[in-house]
Amino acid sequence: MLGETEWMAVTLSVQVSLWATVISLPVAIGVAYVLARRDFRGHAVLNALVHAPLVLPPVVTGYLLLLLFSRNGPAGQVLQDWFGVTLAFRWTGAVLAAAIMAFPLMVRAIRLGFEAVDPKLEQAAKTLGAGPLVVFGTVTLPLIFPGILAGVVLAFAKAMGEFGATITFVSNIPGQTQTIPSAIYSAMQVPGQEPVAMTLVLISAGIAVGALIVSEILARRMQRRLAA
Amino acid sequence: MALSVALKHRLGAFSLDLSFDVPNGVTALFGRSGAGKTSVINAVAGLITPRAGRICIQNQVVFDHAAGINVPAHKRGVGYVFQDARLFPHLSVAGNLSYAVKFGRAVADDALHHRIVDMLGLGHLMSRRPAGLSGGEKQRVAIARALLSSPRVLLMDEPLAALDGARKSEILPYLETLRDELDLPILYVSHAVSEIARLADQVVVIQDGQVVANDTTEAVFADADLAPSLGLRDAGAVMTGRVMAHDPDGLTHLSAAGGHMYLPQIQAPIGATVRLRILAQDVTLMRDAPQNISALNIVAGTILAVRRGDGPGAIVTLQCGPDRILARVTGRSVDAMGLQVGMPCYAVVKSVSVSPNEVGQH
């Protein structure tokens, strides 16, 4: 039922979403930590910046990305000249767009995790002789794991569904930058392609629900370990 | 000195400005709630930075404001037992106990590990998660975890305060064993006079951010001037007694307070020393040797001081041999009996509390 380009859209979507999630995770943990634990000037500014993709129309975010990262844009030029990397109209650009759109959701989930960790436990670890990094790795991270998991699933699902910013930034080139949402959109433009659109919709929903179930199982297991 | 503390720190409305030394054994840091006790040991542990001062642990300077020294908490070698246990919920009891060996400063020592697990009775809990433990069990795990971190000094912040009476009496014997078996300076923060009377070798009393007394437990509890700080209801002498005999009628014969005392069967071998606490309100004074009286414990002494309070009460200090006994009476009785310093007097002791005390700790 699906043609080669549609299957490519499915694999590309999964690939883009995984990369977007993996790349944004360490940054999100860092930003969530800073927002949850540190008090500094510019706290509100950073918070607003992180949340901007959540409140801006996705097309606006995509347009801003295009301004910054197109071949002639300030960031795009640097990437091109120094690293030979082009983002605009490439699948790597789709990763950036998806990562940025999913970032606020990920940060929010992980930040809630940090806020739920009692800093007194970290103090206790310090008095047992563990340095700051060790405390983070052995006490803080395991305790915020449910938050990280929730953030990862949310971000992955958001990345899978990203449409507006992606199509604005990297367009909708079949086999190159066409993700599931843009493929559905394309299918709906052509009379008689409704079954293709419906199949893609089912695949998309299946992946999202599957991710949710897996995360739920992991979270339960984690919860049971903490409670029992 | 095992630990010496001098610090100034601002605490909301008032400020701390104090210094004291902690020898080996248990030193109690006593003060009312909000007197800044926890801030003092947090400063020792490196969890807060005082405004000024100098802190030495086993002759190593860990904080010196003037010299710009501030060793981070994880490098101070301080074991800390928090009031609220603070066990790691994602680790089992065994995982909590081995944390300091795996991730902290401690060196693996199986013999010590087994000894401490035995001492605190944790053998059957090792695979449990903290969430499933009772309050008393949690606190025992927390104590063991701190001991297994190779501490150079042990800080305990009201380790019994969050527990109910039954749990308190479950833990206290473990703390006594700890005091008697480990050669470790322990700074024990508490506002519970009975715990201090039972555990401490040395007492530092803080009031309004300053040290108002720093002496042996016996001396602090025998000081009538400190009675208001300790709380009049809890004021009373602490002394060491020696078990002389277990009489066939069920009473134990003790030598204490320059005389003899008879108390219901005490679980201690003949020759052992025990710690006695005689509350000032449980002592009645008589000028003449009482006769035909049901009370068994009557101690002869000489009045050392009469301290009248603001209210109708007075505290009379009686020197009985090497020990002192405090009696809480009314000012009216003092007048009626004509009690004066230097006068011989008898103390009728209505109640004595006893706790074990190892020889050689004093």
Side-chain angles (χ1 to χ4, degrees):
Chain A
M1 188 173 289
L2 293 186
E4 199 185 333
T5 49
E6 281 81 23
W7 278 118
M8 282 176 80
V10 171
T11 44
L12 185 72
S13 259
V14 172
Q15 184 185 343
V16 163
S17 304
L18 283 177
W19 273 108
T21 310
V22 167
I23 288 172
S24 49
L25 182 59
V27 186
I29 291 176
V31 170
Y33 176 81
V34 165
L35 285 178
R37 292 291 179 82
R38 301 263 180 241
D39 201 15
F40 57 97
R41 281 206 300 190
H43 189 279
V45 175
L46 177 65
N47 196 30
L49 208 61
V50 166
H51 282 87
L54 201 61
V55 289
L56 285 179
V59 180
V60 170
T61 305
Y63 181 73
L64 291 175
L65 284 176
L66 204 53
L67 279 186
L68 280 169
F69 289 95
S70 70
R71 209 170 279 227
N72 302 320
Q77 249 171 9
V78 170
L79 284 174
Q80 180 68 50
D81 296 349
W82 293 11
F83 306 103
V85 172
T86 314
L87 291 177
F89 307 112
R90 301 288 169 85
W91 76 273
T92 44
V95 171
L96 179 66
I100 284 183
M101 292 304 289
F103 195 65
L105 295 174
M106 198 184 241
V107 169
R108 283 173 78 86
I110 299 175
R111 180 181 174 175
L112 284 178
F114 273 118
E115 283 166 355
V117 171
D118 190 349
K120 289 172 168 181
L121 291 174
E122 294 161 321
Q123 283 190 340
K126 271 196 228 168
T127 66
L128 295 169
L133 277 178
V134 178
V135 171
F136 188 80
T138 59
V139 176
T140 319
L141 266 188
L143 290 176
I144 62 163
F145 186 76
I148 291 181
L149 198 64
V152 162
V153 173
L154 273 175
F156 181 79
K158 173 72 185 169
M160 284 291 294
E162 219 304 297
F163 178 67
T166 309
I167 206 166
T168 316
F169 184 37
V170 298
S171 184
N172 183 2
I173 312 165
Q176 286 181 43
T177 64
Q178 188 176 66
T179 59
I180 294 179
S182 12
I184 294 173
Y185 176 74
S186 294
M188 285 168 61
Q189 305 302 305
V190 185
Q193 288 284 306
E194 286 84 4
V196 174
M198 180 51 86
T199 313
L200 286 169
V201 164
L202 290 175
I203 290 174
S204 174
I207 293 173
V209 171
L212 201 64
I213 290 173
V214 168
S215 85
E216 199 62 32
I217 291 170
L218 283 175
R220 285 241 178 103
R221 193 171 297 177
M222 194 72 192
Q223 212 66 41
R224 217 174 305 141
R225 280 186 61 193
L226 288 185
Chain B
M1 204 48 79
L3 168 67
S4 69
V5 180
L7 59 86
K8 288 189 208 292
H9 192 63
R10 179 158 288 287
L11 260 183
F14 75 108
S15 51
L16 285 174
D17 184 354
L18 43 78
S19 75
F20 59 89
D21 290 336
V22 176
N24 275 4
V26 177
T27 299
L29 190 58
F30 176 87
R32 294 276 163 78
S33 299
K37 307 184 292 292
T38 301
S39 301
V40 172
I41 59 170
N42 279 344
V44 172
L47 298 178
I48 61 167
T49 305
R51 209 154 43 89
R54 186 180 150 93
I55 299 168
C56 292
I57 298 172
Q58 307 286 9
N59 297 321
Q60 186 211 348
V61 180
V62 294
F63 177 74
D64 190 331
H65 180 76
I69 299 172
N70 190 6
V71 176
H74 64 284
K75 291 186 179 156
R76 290 200 179 186
V78 165
Y80 198 142
V81 179
F82 299 90
Q83 187 175 336
D84 48 346
R86 301 195 189 177
L87 301 180
F88 305 127
H90 58 299
L91 300 176
S92 65
V93 169
N96 270 279
L97 294 187
S98 59
Y99 186 89
V101 170
K102 277 192 198 142
F103 307 116
R105 62 174 163 261
V107 201
D109 180 342
D110 284 347
L112 179 73
H113 189 276
H114 286 125
R115 188 170 153 220
I116 286 172
V117 166
D118 279 351
M119 195 191 282
L120 289 158
L122 300 175
H124 62 295
L125 298 176
M126 297 305 272
S127 61
R128 300 263 295 275
R129 295 260 159 199
L133 301 180
S134 74
E137 287 168 339
K138 278 183 192 158
Q139 207 51 275
R140 269 151 56 199
V141 175
I143 293 168
R145 182 179 69 174
L147 289 174
L148 287 170
S149 69
S150 312
R152 297 184 293 172
V153 56
L154 184 64
L155 308 175
M156 304 184 99
D157 184 13
E158 311 218 19
L160 305 181
L163 306 176
D164 59 39
R167 301 276 158 251
K168 274 188 186 126
S169 24
E170 171 196 327
I171 304 260
L172 266 167
Y174 291 112
L175 294 179
E176 281 164 348
T177 315
L178 215 76
R179 172 196 64 194
D180 299 337
E181 290 196 6
L182 299 179
D183 187 24
L184 189 68
I186 299 175
L187 186 56
Y188 188 100
V189 165
S190 183
H191 68 267
V193 176
S194 58
E195 272 167 53
I196 291 174
R198 214 172 139 171
L199 288 173
D201 302 308
Q202 198 85 16
V203 181
V204 176
V205 181
I206 59 177
Q207 204 174 7
D208 302 325
Q210 294 187 320
V211 173
V212 293
N214 179 3
D215 212 329
T216 63
T217 306
E218 286 84 348
V220 166
F221 278 87
D223 188 342
D225 291 338
L226 289 172
S229 309
L230 298 175
L232 281 176
R233 200 167 287 190
D234 286 319
V238 171
M239 65 190 66
T240 304
R242 180 178 291 272
V243 176
M244 305 300 287
H246 293 296
D247 293 344
D249 61 355
L251 291 178
T252 298
H253 176 187
L254 294 160
S255 120
H260 302 284
M261 289 202 162
Y262 300 89
L263 298 171
Q265 197 83 51
I266 291 165
Q267 302 298 326
I270 290 170
T273 59
V274 292
R275 184 177 285 199
L276 305 175
R277 179 164 177 237
I278 301 171
L279 289 180
Q281 61 182 9
D282 290 338
V283 176
T284 305
L285 294 180
M286 299 188 88
R287 282 197 51 188
D288 307 312
Q291 287 172 341
N292 297 326
I293 181 171
S294 65
L296 278 175
N297 297 314
I298 297 161
V299 183
T302 311
I303 294 178
L304 197 67
V306 177
R307 184 186 190 280
R308 286 177 190 266
D310 299 329
I315 290 196
V316 178
T317 312
L318 213 58
Q319 184 79 46
C320 307
D323 294 314
R324 287 175 189 180
I325 288 181
L326 299 187
R328 192 174 155 211
V329 297
T330 57
R332 189 180 291 186
S333 305
V334 170
D335 294 336
M337 293 167 73
L339 297 181
Q340 278 168 7
V341 174
M343 187 179 271
C345 198
Y346 295 87
V348 179
V349 180
K350 286 176 281 190
S351 168
V352 181
S353 55
V354 182
S355 56
N357 190 33
E358 274 290 301
V359 193
Q361 282 294 311
H362 295 275

